[in-house]
Amino acid sequence: MILNKRYTRNIKANLPFYAAATVLTMVTLLMFYLFYIAGTGIHAFGDTFFSRYKLESATFSTYKEIPDEELVSLEKQYDVTLEKEHFVGVDDGEVRVRVFMPNRKIDLYEIQEGKEPGADDEVLISAGYAVENGVRPGDAVSIGGRTYTVAGTFLRPDYLYMVENESDDYKNVTSFFLAYMTENEFTERFGGGSIQNKVIYGERTDETAFRKRIDSDYFMSGYLGSDHNLRVTFVYEQADMFIMSSWFILVIFPLLTVALVCILLGRRIRSEQKLIGTLSALGYTKAGLMRHYSLFALIPGVIGGLLTSVAALILAKPFGSLGLADYEPMKPDFRLPVWVAVAGVVIPALIYYIAAMVRVHRLLRADTVRLLAGQVGNDAGGRRVLARKRVPVRRKFALRQIVGSPGRSFVIFLGIFLGAMIVAFAFSFLDSVRAVGKRGPRRIRQLQVRIYSELSQGRKARGWRSRIRASVRRSAITALYPDGP
Amino acid sequence: MFIEVKDAKKQYGSGEAAVYALDGVNYSLEKGKICVILGPSGSGKSTLLNMIGGMDSPDSGEITVDGQKITGLRGKALTAYRKQSVGFVFQFYNLIPDLTVEENVQVVSEIAEHPLDMDEILRALDIEKYRYRFPRELSGGQQQRVAIARAMVKNPKLLLCDELTGALDTKSSRSVLRFIETINRQYGTTTLIITHNESIALLADTVVRIRDGRIASVSENTEKMTADEIEL
């Protein structure tokens, strides 16, 4: 169709509009894509890593050691996998090391760089500490006054967020690390070390019965389920935070953007009503005209969607890695799922297509004569506002500019709102990053102590209002600081 | 009769503000004739032309063109009538700005059932040399000739011209009228021209005068002149 030649020429002639609509579509979709890719990537990594390296269901310790032969019968009776873990904490002054004897069944490690220790003077160290302090295989580290050669670095599933103690709430990869040495070296230096028990529950496990049995026979002194273990849960929490952000962004930004572009498209089509009237008078069918203008509308949707997919492929890894800066150096596969990429192209394009179709359909419901005269859609009631009032013409004019073109006014307000939201979002993000970078965990800790002390210093409760306030304060303190600040 | 309008009425507004654009118009025209409709602004001549062209419909009355009753036509049937039977030349040309002269004509020729040879029409209208130009690169007269070419290329039975020379200088007007004369003679196209210009009436077979939505007079032009003879 000759009429199709208009597409490229019209884009050239109205480049600012198409560029703005495309960029707007792209920016908002990209925000959704990046958060979604980061979230799903981390989640998928967690699932695979935890499964492959046998993440514990729980760690527990007992006052009475469970005999080795009893472990087997417990495993059978309760459908669990049980293993004793031997470890020892070594305090070297500025640096503290937790040394493990390698497990065989639960919480296994994955070598990130280098190799297994081949001699008693070789160790594996946790990857986060190695990266943070620039320690590479072949370098030397000191553990308890003895120097070892670093054979390699590792990750293990129950230490993906490296907190030293369970009550800590911020990572420590500067003065704390994990290490594996040969069984021979471990036994020679530390004997059996300390023992804690690791368990993986099976599908048929009655967890309560198992814990009761352990407690009654061996006197449980501590129990930490992996679903309450910060070192584990932070992985999924980060993933969930990204995924929730992506859906929040999807609801707010792309929907508003699509609405904005639809309104702009509608206004562009309305501005072509004389041409639509002419083509209709020349014998073009309604369906043909709807198709012609709808294809115009596809352009920003398709180009925006495709550019977003390309940008997402390029930016997904750096963006996702930024979100994992606090974690051990995990390597999730940040991948844009094909269905998301396709949906990102198809959905906005389809909405624009339908919006244009509806607009042309509505225009063609009017008389051709009115279309030719450019009169369709120009009869908004707002244009007659204050018509019979004695008000200065400047005010009438200003007011009619706003209420006379409700679509245009809405687009302007929506544009301002969207712009402000994006700017505010970006600045809050920057601010958070800067705050963490500058003040660090120490400042956050100080803040928590201050909040704790302020919450604790409530006046003596008198009257029912004060008593409720005091009760709420006590609940808040308990929830925030179960073990004190 | 090729065109027959029976008691056509069209009212805009209601109550005290009601205005009759057409107030019981009866009109007919033989096939192959040129008819000029004269009248002041707001007399209803454009409304009549739009109704005959299938772009507007009367509130009451009946319009028949070449035996086909066009009042009551809707949707595809109305589009087919516009596409096959009517060539429309707009007062302000209404060319598609982002298509060249040739493409503006092709836009219609490619949907027409029996189109005329486009090159022949462009030659006849002396716009062949502008075929790759865009409308904005042409003068008003040249644009009007492109609009006529676009209307004629579909080989319509009926050519409707709204204020054909209203925006043109004398030289361009004469050139356009000369072509109208030629196509009427060559293809036997029934032509309806609405205008303010009394001189153009000398070109017509029939002259209709409209005033206040009613036909004031219909006269046969016994001393028909050519486009070169009339004084514009």
Side-chain angles (χ1 to χ4, degrees), chain A residues 142-193:
Chain A
S142 173
I143 299 174
R146 191 176 293 181
T147 304
Y148 293 88
T149 303
V150 175
T153 62
F154 71 90
L155 288 185
R156 57 180 271 175
D158 57 332
Y159 275 95
L160 286 179
Y161 186 75
M162 190 61 73
V163 289
E164 188 176 347
N165 303 302
E166 284 155 18
S167 56
D168 292 351
D169 49 17
Y170 199 73
K171 67 164 182 177
N172 180 2
V173 286
T174 51
S175 59
F176 173 71
F177 67 94
L178 311 181
Y180 283 107
M181 49 183 62
T182 58
E183 233 176 282
N184 186 45
E185 175 70 4
F186 186 93
T187 317
E188 196 172 289
R189 282 198 69 187
F190 309 114

Side-chain angles (χ1 to χ4, degrees), chain B residues 164-181:
Chain B
L164 189 62
T165 58
L168 302 181
D169 59 39
T170 312
K171 194 181 164 196
S172 301
S173 298
R174 194 178 302 283
S175 154
V176 164
L177 291 172
R178 206 179 286 137
F179 184 70
I180 294 290
E181 216 173 27

Side-chain angles (χ1 to χ4, degrees), chain A residues 269 286 290 355-366:
Chain A
I269 290 170
K286 193 175 186 176
M290 282 163 72
M357 207 170 230
V358 169
R359 172 51 87 171
V360 177
H361 176 74
R362 284 174 60 186
L363 277 177
L364 285 170
R365 275 202 323 225

Side-chain angles (χ1 to χ4, degrees), chain A residues 45-256:
Chain A
F45 174 83
D47 290 345
T48 311
F49 194 80
F50 292 153
S51 159
R52 186 178 297 161
Y53 295 98
K54 313 290 180 201
L55 173 70
E56 65 188 40
S57 299
T59 299
F60 64 91
S61 44
T62 51
Y63 289 110
K64 186 177 160 191
E65 189 181 344
I66 306 170
D68 288 344
E69 60 277 11
E70 187 64 16
L71 291 176
V72 181
S73 71
L74 284 168
E75 281 184 332
K76 279 184 186 162
Q77 187 178 348
Y78 292 100
D79 184 31
V80 296
T81 307
L82 272 171
E83 184 170 23
K84 285 182 189 171
E85 182 174 64
H86 297 264
F87 70 101
V88 66
V90 179
D91 193 342
D92 274 345
E94 286 187 1
V95 179
R96 291 164 304 285
V97 190
R98 192 162 295 154
V99 186
F100 293 94
M101 196 185 279
N103 295 340
R104 290 190 173 81
K105 295 196 284 189
I106 301 174
D107 289 337
L108 310 177
Y109 59 81
E110 180 190 72
I111 293 185
Q112 300 298 293
E113 200 182 3
K115 58 176 182 61
E116 293 276 1
D120 289 348
D121 63 346
E122 288 185 343
V123 289
L124 286 175
I125 64 168
S126 48
Y129 177 85
V131 170
E132 181 74 18
N133 296 283
V135 181
R136 302 286 314 276
D139 291 350
V141 290
S142 173
I143 299 174
R146 191 176 293 181
T147 304
Y148 293 88
T149 303
V150 175
T153 62
F154 71 90
L155 288 185
R156 57 180 271 175
D158 57 332
Y159 275 95
L160 286 179
Y161 186 75
M162 190 61 73
V163 289
E164 188 176 347
N165 303 302
E166 284 155 18
S167 56
D168 292 351
D169 49 17
Y170 199 73
K171 67 164 182 177
N172 180 2
V173 286
T174 51
S175 59
F176 173 71
F177 67 94
L178 311 181
Y180 283 107
M181 49 183 62
T182 58
E183 233 176 282
N184 186 45
E185 175 70 4
F186 186 93
T187 317
E188 196 172 289
R189 282 198 69 187
F190 309 114
S194 303
I195 292 174
Q196 60 186 1
N197 303 289
K198 300 274 180 181
V199 60
I200 297 176
Y201 295 124
E203 284 179 8
R204 292 179 289 107
T205 304
D206 180 346
E207 193 185 325
T208 311
F210 172 76
R211 287 173 66 174
K212 274 185 180 171
R213 166 79 186 278
I214 296 292
D215 194 40
S216 67
D217 290 3
Y218 306 102
F219 313 109
M220 202 176 269
S221 61
Y223 181 93
L224 180 67
S226 63
D227 52 348
H228 287 90
N229 186 347
L230 209 64
R231 296 163 182 145
V232 177
T233 55
F234 258 29
V235 176
Y236 282 139
E237 277 174 19
Q238 182 74 347
D240 291 343
M241 192 273 285
F242 274 130
I243 291 171
M244 271 165 55
S245 300
S246 75
W247 291 117
F248 171 75
I249 286 166
L250 182 69
V251 169
I252 300 293
F253 294 109
L255 287 186
L256 285 178

